Amino acid sequence: MMKGPLQALTLLLLGAACLAKKLTFPLSISAAQVRNVVPATQKPQVEGDPMGLSFASDPGQIDFLAMVDNLEGDSGRGYYLELLIGTPPQTLNILVDTGSSNFAVAGSPNPDITTFFNSSRSISYQPLDIDVTVRYTQGSWTGLLGKDLISLPQGVNGSYLVNIASIYESENFFMPSINWQGILGLAYNTLAKPSSSVETFFDSLVSQADISDIFSMQMCGAGLPITGTGRNVGSLVMGGIEEHLYKGDIWYTPITEEWYYQVEILKFEVGNVILNLNCVEYNSDKAIVDSGTTLLRLPDKVFSAVVEAILQTSLIQNFNDDFWNGLQLACWDSGEDPWAYFPDISIYLRDMNASKSFRITLKPQLYIQPAVTIRESLNCFRFGISQSTNALVLGAIVMEGFYVIFDRAEKRVGFAVSSCAEVDGMTVSSISGPFSTQDVSSNCISRNPLREPIMWIISYALMTFCGIILLVLVILLLLPNRRNRDDPEVVNDESSLVRHRWK
């Protein structure tokens, strides 16, 4: 048993270890030489408005047609929207992401982008002096929270005051050759950082512009190279639905929880064969609709079952594992397409009538994606489905087949066949139903996984508990040492070994 100085050292170390439970890791940012990077383009102030402030008090009738084709991009690098930020306005392209909730823009130079938002040049910028960090499946950023005016050249008329994070550090967030400089999180405020009290961009728009709590998206990159020009068009319609962007009926599925756009998936079908899996596997630990995720991401067990089913129904049996894992392209001679070799994939979603379901079907043109290669004599493709450890994600390759309606007012997500989901004149997606749900569980979401807000509560509780323990340890250290000072200090082999390990 250790006594005296050794006891004090041990007590202090225990307290420090307890405080370390917060588990916060700094970003690893490497210095880079930045060339030809300038603040975003500034536009002149409106004549007659010396401060450049223009609030929308009466937006009037919303013109949804004006929002058609207001997006550019592709499924590989994301679809982005042009925004005007600050006073005078600075023009930036912003990635549209339904899988997060913060609005953030580059606030300093970065080697992968050519422009950034300079808050010091905006007279309407209001600093809040709050640091915020957001981590994604790939990449992260840290920024400083503030408020400023934004307007949308092809969106709801007017200027609106919103929360905005100016990114000053990032890791694997911005990518080479992208044409966007920020991210627009359109999910619920539950996911907002540093807390759910931060009003989201769309919530601000709904309240200030007095529009309906609904938006819809069309992404027109079906059958086009994922690393091509990056200028495929799309549409983000804020406040409603534009009928020119879809064909047929809209089918709705409930939003099962308002954080991500979480839905309930009942079945998977590959080449007209239903996978023999419990429906709980499809929703482990959640199933979400996320425009900011490139691929269709499946839990490990579902992914393996889908690949096996494709192999059984495909006319080609000699693909190696690297193709299925996204590490290798499959190539055919120029002029030859692989579509006939692969089956359709259907995903069954629960209908608003819980006893019914409907299915959305992807043809191979959606999940076997063309890729640009150096050799013009070859047509090469990648597998657009990947494994996931924590969610089933209906990402961009799925959304490119459909016009997707995020009806927050009615707590539902709608799917209709997109008017631009065509490859060589053939529609590459379809929707059918209704189907009975008698052969599946009444609830395929068997458990409620720990959500991030709950994790924060647990984290703060642990920190408080650790703080109390540390306080007790400090008090104990300050108490008079009552050991008989005539006793010799005893240091045996065991205590020496422990002390050595702590060095």
Side-chain angles (χ1 to χ4, degrees), residues 73-364:
D74 59 48
S75 61
R77 289 173 295 188
Y79 286 78
Y80 54 86
L81 174 74
E82 183 182 86
L83 286 180
L84 304 181
I85 307 172
T87 308
Q90 301 176 42
T91 304
L92 281 86
N93 293 328
I94 309 298
L95 177 73
V96 177
D97 180 25
T98 63
S100 66
S101 300
N102 282 85
F103 173 40
V105 298
S108 62
N110 184 285
D112 291 326
I113 59 176
T114 57
T115 189
F116 65 94
F117 172 61
N118 191 334
S119 59
S120 66
R121 297 187 180 181
S122 172
I123 62 174
S124 53
Y125 180 75
Q126 304 173 22
L128 298 177
D129 297 326
I130 299 174
D131 276 316
V132 55
T133 296
V134 177
R135 294 178 174 86
Y136 305 90
T137 304
Q138 178 178 345
S140 62
W141 56 259
T142 296
L144 197 61
L145 200 63
K147 287 180 176 289
D148 210 336
L149 295 174
I150 63 94
S151 59
L152 305 101
Q154 286 184 269
V156 182
N157 290 331
S159 296
Y160 307 96
L161 187 65
V162 301
N163 289 305
I164 178 172
S166 295
I167 299 172
Y168 59 82
E169 287 183 354
S170 64
E171 185 177 29
N172 299 325
F173 179 68
F174 298 109
M175 300 175 291
S177 303
I178 58 168
N179 197 31
W180 48 264
Q181 303 87 36
I183 186 168
L184 176 57
L186 291 172
Y188 291 96
N189 67 319
T190 307
L191 297 180
K193 299 292 185 295
S195 74
S196 59
S197 63
V198 176
E199 187 175 60
T200 67
F201 179 101
F202 194 70
D203 283 337
S204 298
L205 198 63
V206 168
S207 62
Q208 295 177 40
D210 194 25
I211 61 174
S212 298
D213 194 9
I214 177 176
F215 66 90
S216 50
M217 286 187 67
Q218 182 194 59
M219 303 157 75
C220 297
L224 298 175
I226 55 172
T227 54
T229 63
R231 295 188 178 276
N232 309 327
V233 297
S235 303
L236 173 64
V237 179
M238 289 159 280
I241 300 170
E242 173 48 54
E243 61 182 11
H244 294 86
L245 300 180
Y246 68 96
K247 300 181 289 187
D249 297 326
I250 300 174
W251 294 76
Y252 287 97
T253 187
I255 294 173
T256 61
E257 186 169 347
E258 295 169 287
W259 58 324
Y260 298 95
Y261 293 100
Q262 183 176 347
V263 296
E264 186 180 7
I265 293 177
L266 309 183
K267 301 179 189 177
F268 255 70
E269 184 177 273
V270 179
N272 299 318
V273 176
I274 299 290
L275 298 186
N276 186 25
L277 291 175
N278 188 309
C279 66
V280 174
E281 301 290 348
Y282 304 125
N283 301 279
S284 178
D285 62 3
K286 56 185 173 288
I288 63 174
V289 185
D290 179 9
S291 65
T293 295
T294 300
L295 307 178
L296 168 59
R297 305 192 70 218
L298 304 177
D300 292 340
K301 187 178 291 188
V302 180
F303 177 83
S304 298
V306 167
V307 170
E308 182 62 29
I310 293 175
L311 285 171
Q312 291 178 0
T313 57
S314 173
L315 300 178
I316 296 179
Q317 300 295 319
N318 60 350
F319 287 108
N320 59 37
D321 290 341
D322 284 344
F323 173 74
W324 304 114
N325 292 329
L327 301 176
Q328 189 177 72
L329 300 177
C331 298
W332 283 259
D333 289 333
S334 180
E336 184 180 2
D337 293 324
W339 317 131
Y341 299 114
F342 294 90
D344 294 350
I345 295 178
S346 295
I347 303 168
Y348 288 73
L349 295 143
R350 194 177 296 277
D351 191 74
M352 295 301 292
N353 178 347
S355 65
K356 302 292 182 182
S357 68
F358 64 93
R359 71 183 179 198
I360 59 175
T361 298
L362 317 176
K363 290 194 172 295

Side-chain angles (χ1 to χ4, degrees), residues 481-497:
N481 189 351
R482 299 183 180 182
R483 180 176 59 86
N484 188 342
R485 297 182 182 274
D486 294 331
D487 292 343
E489 180 72 25
V490 177
V491 181
N492 56 32
D493 290 341
E494 182 180 359
S495 62
S496 296
L497 181 62

